[in-house]
Amino acid sequence: MNGTCELKTKVLNRTNESKVNNVEQETQNGQYYANSNVYSYESVVKIAQFLLDRVPFTPKIGIICGSGMGAYWNKGSLAEALQNPIKFPYEDIPNFPISTVEGHAGQLVFGYLSDVPVMCMQGRFHYYEGYPLWKCAMPVRVMKMIGVTHLIATNAAGGLNKTYKVGDIMIVKDHINMMGFAGNNPLQGPNEERFGPRFPPMNSAYNKQLIRKAKEIATAEGLGDLVHDGVYTCLGGPSFETVAELKMLGMLGCDAVGMSTVHEVITARHCNMTVFAFSLITNMCITDYDCKEEANHCEVLDVGKLREGDLKHFVSKVVEYMAQTM
Ligand SMILES: O=P(O)(O)O[C@@H]1C[C@H](O)[C@@H](CO)O1
Ligand SMILES: Nc1nc2[nH]cnc2c(=O)[nH]1
């Protein structure tokens, strides 16, 4: 899919960019650990309190918009669909990182979807932007402190499973924490028991009832042919994968490959949130050395735009169902 890339030039040099390196470094026992979670429990509470003081409702559902699904120019995107929105650009939230990637607007939006109060990360943080995993996933803890019990994590991903097509939706039934194989985990460092246990299980990370129901919803809404369930893996990026890497990931049982979500889900499960996640398949992974095509971010964003209506509708229905189960 090589259509017109609707990228707008985003000014990354925001005046508040210095905040990226200006996080309060309160740690357990007053010590600083080189690779620890420098957002103490108290500093996460402070961020949550800043937001709660400015929003007249407390959402129980949090949504993370993947590439293209939260673009600021994309007025039809999921994030832009919230009713009565209250928006917080990341640079206005004390101690918050900022988004630097095209297709990630960089704001928290509180509002209503299907008359259900939600909060939405319109733009997430990625490892390749220079943020450690714990920082990429920190907003999930802010959600938890605000009162969110259910997380919907969305992403753009390359399809490895040969039965998938560009534009399909893959509900994540499991992940392979590829970066974790090398010891890189958002929970690395001293554990804060008030968030969760030292050794959280991950064998039921993705809520089975929600997966089942979401598939029913997709079928009922005429999206059944687009929807699969599969295994997602996250690599560090920003380079896309080589043919050999993709062949290996396919052999390992990965159905889709991306650069996010896994560390957010680990962090969410650590603090006992219920998780639902899906990938928009924005490109098919190239596993043929003779193929002349190349993966590119424009295509990723274009497919996000192409599917924005379906995704909005699908997520609204999932939110509606979640709210009934709470
Ligand atoms: O934030 P997500 O995981 O949706 O973004 C994917 C991975 C890279 O950030 C980007 C590559 O085009 O899309
Ligand atoms: N790692 C990775 N991330 C993606 N995000 C969207 N497409 C891709 C892809 O092919 N590979």
Side-chain angles (χ1 to χ4, degrees):
M1 197 162 304
N2 287 324
T4 49
C5 177
E6 301 210 354
L7 276 183
K8 303 273 191 298
T9 309
K10 187 176 176 188
V11 182
L12 299 179
N13 251 343
R14 297 189 200 178
T15 47
N16 278 320
E17 199 150 11
S18 57
K19 281 190 181 174
V20 173
N21 296 318
N22 198 19
V23 171
E24 278 180 58
Q25 298 193 344
E26 297 169 28
T27 59
Q28 290 175 335
N29 310 322
Q31 284 176 282
Y32 176 74
Y33 298 90
N35 209 3
S36 74
N37 184 344
V38 297
Y39 284 92
S40 66
Y41 187 86
E42 287 73 19
S43 59
V44 176
V45 169
K46 261 192 222 168
I47 298 172
Q49 197 56 53
F50 172 87
L51 296 164
L52 280 169
D53 287 347
R54 290 160 178 79
V55 180
F57 55 87
T58 48
K60 289 192 173 161
I61 297 175
I63 302 170
I64 303 177
C65 294
S67 280
M69 290 171 256
Y72 64 103
W73 66 84
N74 193 347
K75 293 300 166 210
S77 74
L78 173 62
E80 298 290 340
L82 302 198
Q83 295 115 31
N84 304 324
I86 305 173
K87 300 180 178 181
F88 298 91
Y90 292 156
E91 58 262 39
D92 293 347
I93 306 172
N95 287 327
F96 223 71
I98 59 161
S99 289
T100 65
V101 187
E102 295 289 353
H104 292 262
Q107 55 185 3
L108 274 183
V109 188
F110 290 74
Y112 288 81
L113 198 59
S114 303
D115 294 327
V116 178
V118 300
M119 66 182 287
C120 189
M121 278 187 82
Q122 192 177 9
R124 61 150 58 87
F125 308 111
H126 304 84
Y127 190 68
Y128 62 76
E129 291 174 77
Y131 298 119
L133 291 181
W134 53 260
K135 198 183 242 182
C136 294
M138 179 278 293
V140 171
R141 289 183 165 170
V142 172
M143 287 182 179
K144 172 76 181 182
M145 293 297 126
I146 281 174
V148 168
T149 55
H150 288 58
L151 177 69
I152 301 178
T154 75
N155 61 62
L160 263 169
N161 186 315
K162 299 266 190 265
T163 67
Y164 295 179
K165 292 188 294 301
V166 169
D168 283 357
I169 295 169
M170 186 195 82
I171 296 173
V172 181
K173 69 174 180 194
D174 203 353
H175 68 229
I176 294 181
N177 181 12
M178 201 55 79
M179 295 165 82
F181 283 14
N184 197 357
N185 189 299
L187 305 180
Q188 189 188 38
N191 186 53
E192 170 55 80
E193 289 286 330
R194 285 174 290 178
F195 285 125
R198 171 76 289 186
F199 299 110
M202 285 296 141
N203 56 307
S204 49
Y206 299 87
N207 185 275
K208 289 194 182 58
Q209 190 189 329
L210 285 174
I211 293 175
R212 211 168 28 244
K213 190 64 196 179
K215 285 202 265 187
E216 280 172 32
I217 289 171
T219 306
E221 300 300 320
L223 301 171
D225 291 346
L226 299 181
V227 172
H228 315 270
D229 58 18
V231 176
Y232 174 86
T233 193
C234 164
L235 302 188
S239 48
F240 288 107
E241 296 71 36
T242 65
V243 169
E245 286 163 353
L246 290 168
K247 282 176 185 282
M248 183 194 80
L249 293 172
M251 282 190 285
L252 290 178
C254 303
D255 296 300
V257 55
M259 302 179 195
S260 67
T261 306
V262 168
H263 36 281
E264 297 157 352
V265 170
I266 291 172
T267 304
R269 291 301 298 148
H270 181 242
C271 61
N272 201 28
M273 288 164 84
T274 302
V275 171
F276 176 72
F278 70 84
S279 303
L280 175 65
I281 304 299
T282 52
N283 53 290
M284 286 309 291
C285 292
I286 296 167
T287 50
D288 173 4
Y289 282 106
D290 293 329
C291 180
K292 297 276 184 294
E293 285 171 35
E294 289 183 326
N296 66 85
H297 191 56
C298 274
E299 179 180 40
V300 169
L301 298 182
D302 279 352
V303 176
K305 173 126 189 69
L306 208 70
R307 275 279 176 253
E308 66 186 16
D310 290 332
L311 294 177
K312 228 167 25 187
H313 191 63
F314 179 58
V315 175
S316 304
K317 291 285 173 190
V318 171
V319 162
E320 214 173 290
Y321 171 74
M322 271 182 178
Q324 285 162 16
T325 64
M326 287 171 176

